[in-house]
Amino acid sequence: MIVNYVRIENYRNFKYFETTLNKLAIIIGENDSGKSNFLHALKLPFCSSELEFRNKNLLPLDFNAESVKEFYDKIKSGAGDKELSDSIPIIRVTVRFDDIGSDHYAKAIVGNWIKTDNGNIVYEIQYNYQPKNEKDFLELTKKLIKGSDSNKKDLSLLIPTELYEYSIISTNNFKTIPYNDLKHITINSINAERDDFSESSSMKSNSILTRLLEKKLSKDEKAKIHEAYFGFFKEIKDQDNFKKIFTRDVEFPDLDRFVANIDCIPNLANLKNILSNITLAYGDEFLYQKGLGQRNIIFIILFFQHFKSNKSSFNLSFIEEPESHLSTNNLNLVINYVKKSVAISGNLFQTIISSHSPQVINKLEFENVIAFSSNKAVSFNDVDSALVKYLSKRPNFDILKLLFSNRVILVEGTTEEMFINTILDLDKNSLTNIDVISISQKGYKTFLEIWKKLNDGNAKKIGVIRDFDDQPNAKMEHDAYGNKKTIFVETTKGYTLEDDIVSAGKNCTLISKHFGLNNDQQTVSDFLKSSKADNMFDLCNAMQDGTIVISIPDHITSVLKNLK
C-alpha cells in the first residue's frame, strides 16, 4: 500500500500541481521550488502522528497568491455571484492510494474510500479548506476589496480565513471521514530544521522521546514506573536531614499536636512529567554535547526505526535533507539504512526523501526521483535502467547540475572538461555561469532526454560538445536534438577534440614549441592523445599563466557563444 498520486490546488506556490510517487520517492528541486510546501500540503489530509501536533486550519498566506488575485480581479470587474462562486480560492489536497494487494488490513484501512477512475479501482481522500457559508464569504470579500489595490502582492491577506473551515472527505461520496478511520494513516517527518533536536537550551529530543515512551510502554510497565517513583520518594523521605525539617519546638509544647501530623507525600505526577526527566545520551556524554552531525544521525536512525516498526497504521515517512551535517561515511550509512529498510518493509510503510545531494539521489536510484520545476513535477520512473545502474556506480556524478543549471555543457571526458573550464576561466569580461559535466562516454542522448523532460519550455540552455569518432550516423542523430534556441550540439571536424585543437589557428606551432615536439599536426595530435589527462593538464596550466595563447576550435566557440 502506497500513496501513488497527490494533487494540490491553490496552496502556497502550487496553483495546480500533481505528481505520482513510488514506495521510495526522492524529491529534488532548486531552492524555492516548493519541496517543503509539498510536505506541508501532504500533511493536511493525514492524521497527526505521536511526534507532532498539526493545526489543519490555515492562514491567509497559505493561499496561492495568483488564485487570490484572480478572485479579487473578478470582484472588481463586476462579475456575478455565479462566476465568483466558481473562482473562490479553495485549498484542496487529494491523495490516492494504490498497491493494496491482498493485504486485508490495508484494505480495511482504505476500503471505505474506494471509487473508479477511468475504469480503474482507486482509493482516494481529499482535504478541503473552503468557506463555511458562501453567501457570507462573498458579502465580506466584496467589502474588503473596495478601495484596495488588486495589484498589491499581499492581496492574500484580504482572505477572511475566519469564515473558512477544513474537512477531510472521501471523494467517492464527498462525506467527511471519521477520525476513527483517519487515525490509521499517519505521516511522520524528520524536518531539515533539526539542528536544535538535542540542544541543551531547547531539549526538543526530550519531548519527542517522552511521547515515544508513552506510546511504547505497556500498562504493566507504566505501573512499575509509578511504583519506582514512590520508592524513590521514600528514599528521599528517609534521609536524616529531611526528617529534621519537621521537628517539635521544645519551647512551645502546645504545638506538638500540629507538628506531629505534618508529613510529605509525593505529588501524583503523571507519566509524562516523570519521563520528561530522561535525556538522551551517547556514550558517556549527553547527546547535546556531541557535534551536529552525530546528533543528526542519531535522530534519523532512532525515529526512522520507530516509524517503520509501527504496524498498527499506514506510515508515510518524510525525511528532509538527510545529508545535513553528515560526513561521507555517515551519509553512506544513512542512505543504505533507509534504502534497505524500505526494501524489506511491509505493506504499510512508504518513504519520501528531499535532497540536494547527488550522492543521495544516485544511490537511492534515479528511477525514484521526482524533480520540481516551474510549478510542475517530472517523474523519472520510466528512465533507462542502464542509466540507473550507471548513476548508482557513480554516486558523485552531479545529476542536479545537469537538471538545474541555467547553462550546462556535456562533454565526453576529463580532458574536454579541463579544456573548456580553462577557456571559461580565462574570460575576464563576464561572470562564468556555465557548468561543464563529463559524462564518461555514457550516451549523450540519454542525458539530453532527461534534460528535455524537465526543462522543455523554460529559459535554460544546454550544449553538447562531442567527438566525431568517424561516426557520421551518430553525428546526425545528435544533431537532430539541436533546436538553436535551448539545445546546441556541436561535433569535432577531426576524429577527437585534440585533432581540432591542433588544427585551429597557429596552435600546432605553439603547442609543439611548448612541449618540444616536431611541428606537424599528426605528431602534436598524437602526443596530446597519449597520457591525455596529464598532457591536457599541462596545456591548460600554460594557457592560464599566459605562456601560450590558444585559438579555440570553432565547434567549442559556437556552443559557448550560444550559451552566453
Side-chain angles (χ1 to χ4, degrees):
M1 172 174 164
I2 63 169
V3 172
N4 74 318
Y5 172 81
V6 179
R7 183 173 67 248
I8 303 170
E9 300 169 68
N10 298 323
Y11 181 72
R12 297 188 181 176
N13 66 303
F14 301 123
K15 186 178 182 185
Y16 184 91
F17 177 90
E18 56 185 346
T19 187
T20 57
L21 300 172
N22 295 336
K23 185 175 177 67
L24 173 62
I26 302 102
I27 294 175
I28 63 175
E30 298 178 84
N31 291 335
D32 206 29
S33 62
K35 299 186 297 297
S36 294
N37 286 344
F38 177 76
L39 166 60
H40 292 306
L42 195 53
K43 288 179 177 181
L44 293 172
F46 280 78
C47 189
S48 297
S49 73
E50 68 265 32
L51 299 188
E52 57 181 313
F53 170 77
R54 297 182 210 106
N55 187 353
K56 296 184 184 296
N57 287 306
L58 302 177
L59 300 173
L61 290 177
D62 287 320
F63 285 82
N64 177 263
E66 185 181 348
S67 65
V68 173
K69 185 178 184 304
E70 288 177 358
F71 171 67
Y72 277 117
D73 282 346
K74 285 182 184 282
I75 294 179
K76 283 201 159 190
S77 68
D81 284 355
K82 176 63 174 69
E83 187 178 354
L84 290 177
S85 175
D86 293 337
S87 62
I88 290 175
I90 298 174
I91 293 175
R92 292 190 177 96
V93 181
T94 306
V95 173
R96 186 175 294 173
F97 299 87
D98 198 6
D99 290 347
I100 309 301
S102 58
D103 189 319
H104 296 296
Y105 189 69
K107 285 183 177 179
I109 293 175
V110 300
N112 291 332
W113 313 329
I114 190 170
K115 62 180 285 189
T116 57
D117 182 67
N118 294 324
N120 299 314
I121 293 177
V122 298
Y123 304 85
E124 192 174 85
I125 64 174
Q126 186 179 83
Y127 167 93
N128 289 306
Y129 194 59
Q130 61 191 58
K132 307 170 194 174
N133 184 295
E134 191 174 288
K135 181 180 178 182
D136 292 345
F137 176 80
L138 290 176
E139 285 181 0
L140 180 56
T141 49
K142 288 176 183 178
K143 292 178 182 177
L144 290 173
I145 200 62
K146 282 185 178 179
S148 68
D149 180 4
S150 61
N151 294 314
K152 288 172 62 176
K153 291 184 178 181
D154 60 351
L155 203 62
S156 58
L157 293 174
L158 295 178
I159 289 290
T161 52
E162 67 273 14
L163 299 184
Y164 275 70
E165 64 180 357
Y166 81 87
S167 62
I168 301 172
I169 64 169
S170 172
T171 58
N172 63 1
N173 58 15
F174 301 101
K175 291 182 179 180
T176 300
I177 300 173
Y179 170 76
N180 280 339
D181 292 345
L182 282 175
K183 71 180 182 181
H184 296 295
I185 56 168
T186 61
I187 183 168
N188 306 278
S189 60
I190 298 176
N191 298 321
E193 301 85 7
R194 54 181 178 266
D195 289 355
D196 62 345
F197 163 63
S198 56
E199 286 282 2
S200 58
S201 58
S202 64
M203 298 308 293
K204 186 184 293 184
S205 60
N206 283 21
S207 59
I208 296 176
L209 181 61
T210 297
R211 290 196 291 273
L212 281 179
L213 288 171
E214 279 191 288
K215 291 285 183 180
K216 290 282 190 180
L217 292 171
S218 67
K219 289 182 179 179
D220 289 342
E221 288 170 330
K222 291 176 181 178
K224 288 180 180 179
I225 290 174
H226 279 290
E227 182 181 343
Y229 172 71
F230 284 105
F232 168 69
F233 179 80
K234 184 176 182 301
E235 289 294 325
I236 296 175
K237 187 177 175 181
D238 287 344
Q239 301 303 310
D240 289 339
N241 284 329
F242 188 87
K243 295 176 182 178
K244 292 177 182 178
I245 297 174
F246 309 110
T247 57
R248 56 187 294 271
D249 191 330
V250 295
E251 296 179 355
F252 299 96
D254 291 344
L255 298 179
D256 285 357
R257 62 190 181 92
F258 295 104
V259 175
N261 286 305
I262 296 176
D263 199 358
C264 285
I265 59 174
N267 289 323
L268 294 176
N270 61 41
L271 187 63
K272 182 180 292 186
N273 289 341
I274 298 173
L275 296 177
S276 66
N277 290 292
I278 299 174
T279 298
L280 283 176
Y282 188 79
D284 296 329
E285 297 179 293
F286 291 112
L287 184 58
Y288 66 76
Q289 294 176 306
K290 309 300 288 185
L292 279 175
Q294 199 71 20
R295 281 151 43 188
N296 277 313
I297 192 172
I298 295 301
F299 185 24
I300 292 173
I301 291 174
L302 179 63
F303 295 109
F304 189 76
Q305 188 278 334
H306 169 71
F307 301 155
K308 72 185 183 72
S309 64
N310 188 343
K311 308 297 183 185
S312 62
S313 61
F314 170 73
N315 286 274
L316 179 57
S317 173
F318 198 111
I319 307 176
E320 283 192 290
E321 299 175 20
E323 66 269 19
S324 180
H325 301 297
L326 295 186
S327 66
T328 299
N329 289 334
N330 283 343
L331 180 56
N332 277 331
L333 178 67
V334 167
I335 294 170
N336 279 298
Y337 172 64
V338 170
K339 182 178 180 180
K340 292 176 180 178
S341 293
V342 173
I344 64 175
S345 64
N347 199 32
L348 297 175
F349 185 68
Q350 183 178 3
T351 299
I352 301 174
I353 290 172
S354 70
S355 179
H356 294 285
S357 166
Q359 188 177 353
V360 172
I361 296 160
N362 296 347
K363 285 204 167 188
L364 292 180
E365 299 183 355
F366 193 61
E367 62 190 1
N368 294 315
V369 166
I370 302 161
F372 285 19
S373 177
S374 303
N375 206 25
K376 70 177 180 179
V378 175
S379 172
F380 294 98
N381 57 8
D382 58 350
V383 76
D384 181 5
S385 60
L387 177 63
V388 175
K389 294 177 182 177
Y390 170 79
L391 293 174
S392 68
K393 292 175 176 59
R394 287 194 68 192
N396 294 318
F397 180 86
D398 200 340
I399 194 72
L400 294 173
K401 192 180 289 185
L402 167 68
L403 294 173
F404 297 116
S405 291
N406 289 325
R407 304 288 185 269
V408 63
I409 298 175
L410 300 183
V411 298
E412 192 168 292
T414 54
T415 54
E416 292 89 346
E417 185 178 0
M418 280 192 287
F419 185 69
I420 295 171
N421 275 324
T422 301
I423 295 170
L424 294 172
D425 287 341
L426 289 171
D427 183 358
K428 306 299 182 183
N429 297 319
S430 62
L431 295 174
T432 301
N433 68 339
I434 299 175
D435 286 305
V436 183
I437 302 176
S438 164
I439 62 171
S440 299
Q441 300 186 8
K442 180 66 183 172
Y444 289 106
K445 291 188 290 184
T446 300
F447 289 101
L448 283 170
E449 289 293 346
I450 289 173
W451 186 91
K452 284 177 60 181
K453 194 170 186 178
L454 184 66
N455 293 302
D456 258 0
N458 64 30
K460 294 182 179 181
K461 295 181 179 181
I462 187 170
V464 171
I465 295 175
R466 59 182 301 276
D467 291 340
F468 178 57
D469 289 336
D470 200 19
Q471 296 181 9
N473 290 336
K475 179 181 183 302
M476 290 176 57
E477 291 175 2
H478 286 90
D479 285 348
Y481 280 91
N483 59 18
K484 297 183 180 181
K485 293 181 180 179
T486 58
I487 302 176
F488 305 92
V489 180
E490 294 290 346
T491 304
T492 59
K493 294 178 181 177
Y495 195 83
T496 67
L497 171 66
E498 290 80 6
D499 296 318
D500 277 30
I501 291 175
V502 173
S503 64
K506 298 179 180 180
N507 287 352
C508 184
T509 301
L510 294 170
I511 296 172
S512 62
K513 182 178 180 181
H514 176 75
F515 286 105
L517 305 171
N518 290 330
N519 186 13
D520 69 87
Q521 290 190 7
Q522 190 63 50
T523 299
V524 177
S525 181
D526 288 345
F527 172 79
L528 290 178
K529 293 175 186 177
S530 65
S531 303
K532 291 181 69 167
D534 290 340
N535 292 336
M536 183 60 73
F537 181 71
D538 192 341
L539 177 62
C540 290
N541 281 340
M543 292 168 62
Q544 284 190 308
D545 63 24
T547 304
I548 187 170
V549 179
I550 292 290
S551 296
I552 309 303
D554 291 342
H555 70 296
I556 295 178
T557 300
S558 174
V559 170
L560 293 179
K561 179 181 177 182
N562 285 310
L563 290 190
K564 288 183 178 178

